[in-house]
Amino acid sequence: MTSYVLVTGGAGFIGSHAIVALQQAGHSVLVLDNLCNSEAQVMDRIAAITGVQPGLIVGDVRDETLLADLFSRHNIQAVLHFAGLKAVGESTVKPLEYYDCNVTGSVRLLQAMQSANVRNFVFSSSATVYGEPQHLPLTEDHPRQATNPYGHTKIVVEDVMEALYHSEPGWKMARLRYFNPVGSHPSGLLGEAPRGVPNNLMPYVAQVAAGVRDRLHIFGNDYDTPDGTGIRDYIHVMDLAEGHVQALHHCLAQQQVLSTLNLGTGRGHTVLEMLRAFEQACGRELPYEFMPRRPGDVAACWAETSTAEECLGWRATRSVEEMCSDAWRWTQRQYQLEDERAKAASLDS
Ligand code: NAD
Ligand code: UD1
């Protein structure tokens, strides 16, 4: 009987790249996604890259009946849990939706795993749990502080995992704190497709490069950084994806474990440096304008990565240039496909 890795939220940005890395490492994957922020066609694009179509179950991670059925029908060895809502601003407007999806969803999933005696669990946490850095680089023992409901949901789920781990033997879990995932699969077939105006820097820059937005608004040029703009630890999504495979193997190899690991590069880049790198990738200058600081932003944030290196034998290797050129390939393909669809629709009418 095939043994599966269940990937919740696998049609989304990070989950879809993780599936490619899992399949390439020889794992069979099942996906549970309610498609609230993604499309089923992502599975076809994964198949175009890996040659294997992952099974997709369209459903909600909060659906207890569906979860019980899924765990009873399939031999699930481990769960990678990406499903969740992730927009910081929206979480302040719709906190109940965020707690319900992110916290209730995780609790239901862990309950279903407990009932089915599946004890390997890898969770998508975030560097947002650190709040305002008290020191840099950020080590995993840095105090946690939520500055918005989204960040608090991540802290709560981290704590739920801790309590569960101590409540009974045999759980093997990793809490992965991502820094700033960017870039795309080098094929240009998978990537980040935010709906509406992008909140995050790199998708916004990509839309300026594609001519969809007229200029980048840079939030703050008076930070105490070399060029005055904010510093972040940008990590290529394929490095992040491979980190998940290593985290899964780390869990599978233990009798019991609860690891908390930063997934970043350990290096920071300013907004202007990222913009310049994207200009190199797309071959033209990109217009920008300095704006006031964005409320809630920190000046600088980057990871201490030695824990992940020691525990997982993994470190990020892809450069900022690759992040930008891969993201640009994906962006061009997206708009090319949209144009083709629009032309086909106008011929039909
Ligand atoms: P995404 O929105 O692209 O992917 C999330 C996927 O989960 C989507 O396909 C969505 O349809 C699905 N989903 C949401 N709620 C669901 C539910 N209740 N049941 C089933 N499916 C559901 O987001 P992403 O960027 O791939 O992020 C994945 C995870 O990583 C999230 O938990 C996010 O909080 C975390 N994270 C992301 C970032 C980032 O910058 N992208 C940084 C740190 C942490
Ligand atoms: C944001 C989230 C954080 C989440 C992370 C995931 C907020 C406040 N924080 O962090 O919770 O974990 O994404 O990647 O939303 N910038 C601009 N112009 C823009 C967009 C961003 O100048 O249009 C700047 C920001 O001020 C910041 C940098 O670019 O200095 C990165 O911003 P962003 O991509 O939104 O990531 P974070 O703020 O690190």
Side-chain angles (χ1 to χ4, degrees):
M1 194 179 180
T2 310
S3 166
Y4 289 100
V5 176
L6 175 66
V7 179
T8 75
F13 171 45
I14 304 171
S16 58
H17 290 83
I19 294 170
V20 169
L22 284 165
Q23 290 184 333
Q24 287 175 341
H27 295 282
S28 299
V29 173
L30 271 182
V31 179
L32 172 63
D33 199 303
N34 67 4
L35 305 180
C36 72
N37 198 33
S38 53
E39 311 176 325
Q41 288 86 326
V42 168
M43 300 304 128
D44 302 335
R45 293 193 243 124
I46 292 173
I49 296 169
T50 64
V52 183
Q53 180 96 10
L56 169 66
I57 296 130
V58 178
D60 200 291
V61 82
R62 289 162 290 188
D63 184 338
E64 291 161 294
T65 313
L66 182 147
L67 286 174
D69 185 59
L70 206 160
F71 280 98
S72 70
R73 273 175 199 265
H74 304 281
N75 177 22
I76 294 171
Q77 177 191 33
V79 179
L80 267 55
H81 181 37
F82 297 94
L85 301 176
K86 62 166 182 175
V88 171
E90 187 184 57
S91 79
T92 63
V93 181
K94 300 175 179 171
L96 296 179
E97 280 185 30
Y98 272 70
Y99 283 101
D100 188 39
C101 184
N102 294 5
V103 177
T104 309
S106 301
V107 170
R108 296 255 164 88
L109 181 61
L110 286 164
Q111 283 170 329
M113 290 177 65
Q114 188 178 45
S115 302
N117 201 22
V118 177
R119 302 284 154 119
N120 295 295
F121 185 69
V122 177
F123 174 61
S124 301
S125 188
S126 168
T128 198
V129 300
Y130 295 120
E132 176 84 34
Q134 293 173 15
H135 58 79
L136 288 168
L138 285 158
T139 47
E140 285 87 354
D141 61 0
H142 183 284
R144 295 175 310 166
Q145 188 209 2
T147 53
N148 53 67
Y150 166 70
H152 192 231
T153 66
K154 294 295 179 191
I155 292 181
V156 174
V157 176
E158 286 195 355
D159 289 349
V160 167
M161 290 169 67
E162 174 115 32
L164 183 59
Y165 176 77
H166 291 297
S167 72
E168 56 184 17
W171 282 94
K172 298 178 278 181
M173 302 196 272
R175 305 184 285 198
L176 304 182
R177 295 178 179 161
Y178 313 155
F179 279 67
N180 289 61
V182 298
S184 317
H185 189 270
S187 62
L189 290 170
L190 293 177
E192 191 170 11
R195 293 178 179 170
V197 183
N199 296 313
N200 297 119
L201 176 67
M202 294 314 277
Y204 201 106
V205 171
Q207 292 195 1
V208 175
V212 177
R213 316 243 160 237
D214 63 351
R215 69 194 56 232
L216 172 68
H217 299 128
I218 298 185
F219 302 136
N221 63 338
D222 57 352
Y223 286 112
D224 184 15
T225 62
D227 62 24
T229 66
I231 294 182
R232 296 291 183 276
D233 185 338
Y234 298 94
I235 175 168
H236 195 296
V237 65
M238 283 311 299
D239 277 328
L240 193 65
E242 289 161 9
H244 283 76
V245 175
Q246 293 311 116
L248 171 66
H249 293 173
H250 165 72
C251 289
L252 294 175
Q254 314 285 323
Q255 293 300 318
Q256 57 178 41
V257 69
L258 174 64
S259 298
T260 308
L261 304 167
N262 285 341
L263 296 188
T265 65
R267 284 198 58 200
H269 291 277
T270 68
V271 174
L272 280 172
E273 284 170 352
M274 296 306 287
L275 183 69
R276 299 293 174 233
F278 211 98
E279 287 177 338
Q280 287 293 317
C282 72
R284 69 181 184 94
E285 278 192 23
L286 299 175
Y288 66 88
E289 187 182 345
F290 290 122
M291 306 289 284
R293 293 180 180 190
R294 182 171 66 178
D297 269 358
V298 300
C301 165
W302 67 89
E304 170 60 52
T305 57
S306 53
T307 317
E309 282 175 32
E310 281 156 28
C311 269
L312 309 182
W314 165 94
R315 69 184 173 83
T317 58
R318 292 166 177 88
S319 65
V320 160
E321 287 68 32
E322 281 171 283
M323 298 176 205
C324 294
S325 56
D326 291 339
W328 180 229
R329 195 172 303 113
W330 156 250
T331 306
Q332 284 174 293
R333 196 185 149 81
Q334 260 184 312
Y335 290 111
Q336 190 189 330
L337 287 177
E338 267 182 30
D339 281 355
E340 283 166 15
R341 274 192 221 117
K343 275 186 202 139
S346 71
L347 285 177
D348 284 351
S349 60

